[in-house]
Amino acid sequence: MTDTLIFVDIPADDPSAAAAFYAEVFGWRNDPKPEGLYHRMVPGGQFMNPDGTESLIGNLHIGIFKADNARPHPDAGGTEPKIIAQSGRKPRIWLLIGDDDTAERILTAACARGAKELWRDHYWSTFNGYNHAFMDPWGNEIILWGKAGQHPDIPDSYTRE
């Protein structure tokens, strides 16, 4: 078996507030471990089998860690750097928009809670998908991905590459 990605962590100076943001925007369960220091966001559900039934594999989770004391770490006080990166490129988190949700709803909900819209309505032909993006209040870039389907009807208003 190859090495397997199981988790992605994002920093916040207030993990409780960040966890509330993601719970409100995406409906994910907030699982504090412990409250204010590290929060596991549980999106729920399972990866799907080719026949449309749920597999035994749970969807990936996102962790939110306190930037000034990233856990786990052998030193109880954490290690440098103890601030959220302020400039330059950071990792981007890609989220598949559920069949019962829309990019419009997500972007509106995120921006109403302090996020900044980065772009919307873009089609990426390489992976045949519609994408939109926002930066959460802690500087993390979230890319929303929508499946375009076998013969996509790309609106004229969309940018393309």
Side-chain angles (χ1 to χ4, degrees):
M1 180 173 162
T2 62
D3 298 332
T4 303
L5 175 66
I6 58 170
F7 230 83
V8 174
D9 285 343
I10 59 176
D13 55 6
D14 185 347
S16 296
F21 173 90
Y22 283 97
E24 293 167 3
V25 171
F26 293 110
W28 296 343
R29 189 177 85 223
N30 174 10
D31 186 14
K33 295 194 172 285
E35 175 73 37
L37 188 60
Y38 188 91
H39 291 249
R40 178 178 68 164
M41 302 309 296
V42 183
Q46 305 293 104
F47 281 103
M48 303 305 281
N49 289 314
D51 67 2
T53 60
E54 286 192 345
S55 74
L56 298 176
I57 304 166
N59 283 315
L60 299 175
H61 299 167
I62 291 180
I64 303 172
F65 68 92
K66 190 163 179 64
D68 69 358
N69 192 353
R71 308 305 319 152
H73 192 275
D75 182 344
T79 186
E80 296 294 334
K82 293 187 175 235
I83 60 171
I84 297 171
Q86 301 298 312
S87 64
R89 279 282 172 209
K90 299 181 204 178
R92 301 184 305 169
I93 295 94
W94 294 74
L95 301 174
L96 179 63
I97 301 167
D99 292 339
D100 60 348
D101 207 349
T102 66
E104 180 63 34
R105 191 218 53 86
I106 295 168
L107 288 169
T108 299
C111 291
R113 290 163 176 80
K116 175 186 174 190
E117 183 178 306
L118 299 175
W119 79 80
R120 66 171 62 216
D121 302 342
H122 182 71
Y123 174 72
W124 193 10
S125 62
T126 302
F127 292 101
N128 189 30
Y130 304 119
N131 54 85
H132 323 267
F134 67 86
M135 183 178 295
D136 75 11
W138 300 273
N140 300 297
E141 190 173 333
I142 309 301
I143 313 293
L144 304 174
W145 185 265
K147 297 176 186 175
Q150 190 170 6
H151 301 287
D153 182 19
I154 306 155
D156 291 338
S157 60
Y158 274 49
T159 55
R160 304 158 190 246
E161 67 179 282

